[in-house]
Amino acid sequence: MLASRLSAVSSSSSSTLFLKNHHSTKIPFLASPLLFNSLRPIVEWGIAKRKSWSRMEASASTRTAGPRASAEPLKDPDQLIDSVETFIFDCDGVIWKGDKLIDGVPETLDMLRSKGKRLVFVTNNSTKSRKQYGKKFETLGLNVTEEEIFASSFAAAAYLKSIDFPKDKKVYVIGEDGILKELEQAGFQYLGGPVDGDKKIELTPGFMMEHDENVGAVVVGFDRYFNYYKVQYATLCIRENPGCLFIATNRDAVTHLTDAQEWAGGGSMVGAVLGSTQREPLVVGKPSTFMMDYLANEFGISKSQICMVGDRLDTDILFGQNGGCKTLLVLSGVTSLSTLQNPNTTIQPDFYTNKISDFLSLKAAATSA
């Protein structure tokens, strides 16, 4: 164990060892030449192992993000529909934009249900709980049950349950009501969220901000009421509370708050906390495989029998590929055709089309021909 935590750098005058703690923080201390020489074999073994692990990680990264065959336009929707039993749909940019339903969605979903296909809706937007998203679907005229909805707010609570997060510990939330409702339903104590949106820090001489030392996890999601107070509170918890987890619902760069333009996404809030803590978060939303694994176990779905439909390459399509699913990119949201066909775009779906209602229009065109 010692070998995996030590690295060494030699200099002409002394040798400096760096000890890594559980937060991956390097703590330097000076060692005498005698001590350094006695530890050299262990240190060198640890460095060799670390290089080996780095090569393995690089190889895995290359397999995930390396060049793929160019995506094919969807020409035969029936062939794709018949080849899978479950369709997982992203929401923003696929089903709706902001609060506006995308044309042809109700008819397309009805057709897939009539063919006996299971439909699941997965969104990285953490501002709502599953129940709240159910109401949004209903408002838009879509018949979707709560059990068919998986938001990243739910994923955060589900992850904490999966690791048996202690019920006597608290969760500090940067995010909105959806995360709070899911944590409450899962039986976890929380603080923060929208109530901290109006809080300010008066930086008077000698001021020191207090924080709850019983916070065992910080969950960061999209937050329209983001402020410096929240950044500092989360930073103190992560850096000073032993073993405190840093969980991100997602790292989306942009989101669709309205259908008029793209808005800064949850990744901007996560990035602020990452910058102040120098800690990488554990991401529970797409493209992490946590939600895919949860869905497969929940419904008993074979991943090879799933088609992931989304509008983002780096979240939706990568989410499907990481899970071993078929993938369909729709151009009704973030990704444009020019971006998809750019030679530098390494993430390529199996198929692409303009919007999900092409399932109907392409079929009709083929029939009339």
Side-chain angles (χ1 to χ4, degrees):
M1 291 297 295
L2 178 64
S4 65
R5 294 176 179 269
L6 291 176
S7 59
V9 179
S10 300
S11 68
S12 58
S13 59
S14 65
S15 300
T16 303
L17 295 177
F18 293 91
L19 175 64
K20 278 193 173 182
N21 65 10
H22 65 288
H23 293 308
S24 296
T25 303
K26 289 184 175 180
I27 305 173
F29 65 91
L30 292 177
S32 67
L34 180 60
L35 175 59
F36 177 75
N37 290 333
S38 66
L39 290 175
R40 183 186 296 275
I42 299 176
V43 170
E44 291 178 346
W45 179 87
I47 293 172
K49 292 298 289 184
R50 182 179 300 165
K51 289 180 178 178
S52 174
W53 293 331
S54 297
R55 286 193 295 270
M56 290 169 62
E57 290 170 356
S59 176
S61 174
T62 301
R63 288 195 299 271
T64 301
R68 295 171 54 88
S70 296
E72 298 179 15
L74 182 66
K75 296 179 180 178
D76 187 350
D78 277 345
Q79 184 178 14
L80 177 59
I81 293 170
D82 292 341
S83 69
V84 298
E85 62 182 36
T86 300
F87 282 89
I88 298 179
F89 291 99
D90 175 49
C91 295
D92 300 317
V94 178
I95 304 299
W96 59 64
K97 273 191 172 182
D99 291 320
K100 183 178 180 181
L101 193 65
I102 294 174
D103 292 341
V105 166
E107 299 85 351
T108 305
L109 300 184
D110 287 345
M111 179 272 291
L112 293 173
R113 290 191 190 278
S114 72
K115 289 180 172 287
K117 304 301 175 182
R118 179 188 285 110
L119 307 184
V120 179
F121 302 86
V122 176
T123 174
N124 265 358
N125 191 325
S126 64
T127 59
K128 294 180 175 64
S129 65
R130 298 173 85 179
K131 182 172 289 188
Q132 289 172 317
Y133 270 114
K135 292 179 180 178
K136 177 166 184 174
F137 277 100
E138 184 180 352
T139 300
L140 293 172
L142 300 175
N143 184 23
V144 175
T145 66
E146 187 177 327
E147 290 71 28
E148 294 174 318
I149 303 168
F150 289 85
S152 62
S153 53
F154 171 78
Y159 175 76
L160 289 172
K161 288 184 72 172
S162 75
I163 63 170
D164 295 323
F165 183 74
K167 291 296 178 71
D168 60 341
K169 287 287 187 178
K170 299 175 186 177
V171 181
Y172 182 72
V173 177
I174 293 180
E176 301 192 14
D177 197 44
I179 299 174
L180 304 187
K181 288 187 179 299
E182 293 293 357
L183 289 173
E184 183 177 5
Q185 188 168 337
F188 294 116
Q189 303 179 65
Y190 61 81
L191 62 156
V195 298
D196 283 355
D198 294 328
K199 293 183 179 179
K200 297 180 181 179
I201 300 175
E202 297 295 334
L203 294 177
T204 55
F207 175 77
M208 185 177 74
M209 184 174 173
E210 300 290 339
H211 75 284
D212 192 328
E213 296 179 357
N214 205 35
V215 170
V218 171
V219 174
V220 182
F222 178 77
D223 190 337
R224 284 169 291 187
Y225 312 101
F226 190 65
N227 59 24
Y228 188 68
Y229 177 93
K230 296 183 181 184
V231 176
Q232 176 65 2
Y233 201 101
T235 299
L236 290 172
C237 292
I238 293 171
R239 296 186 64 161
E240 297 187 10
N241 291 3
C244 184
L245 303 173
F246 176 17
I247 299 170
T249 60
N250 69 88
R251 297 178 77 166
D252 293 5
V254 296
T255 188
H256 291 116
L257 296 181
T258 70
D259 62 344
Q261 64 181 175
E262 293 178 349
W263 299 80
S268 58
M269 293 84 194
V270 175
V273 179
L274 185 155
S276 61
T277 62
Q278 296 297 291
R279 285 268 302 279
E280 285 289 333
L282 186 147
V283 182
V284 293
K286 298 172 291 186
S288 164
T289 59
F290 174 75
M291 279 205 287
M292 183 68 75
D293 295 337
Y294 187 95
L295 286 167
N297 292 331
E298 181 79 4
F299 293 118
I301 308 171
S302 170
K303 295 177 183 178
S304 63
Q305 288 292 304
I306 297 174
C307 179
M308 175 65 209
V309 183
D311 69 314
R312 299 171 187 259
L313 294 170
D314 59 346
T315 55
D316 302 324
I317 301 307
L318 190 56
F319 175 65
Q321 290 176 354
N322 287 343
C325 308
K326 291 183 173 65
T327 55
L328 172 66
L329 177 77
V330 289
L331 304 174
S332 53
V334 170
T335 306
S336 65
L337 182 60
S338 60
T339 297
L340 175 65
Q341 295 180 337
N342 187 311
N344 295 323
T345 300
T346 58
I347 301 173
Q348 292 287 318
D350 295 313
F351 304 99
Y352 70 89
T353 195
N354 290 318
K355 53 187 181 297
I356 66 169
S357 60
D358 288 345
F359 275 138
L360 299 173
S361 60
L362 289 172
K363 182 177 179 180
T367 303
S368 62

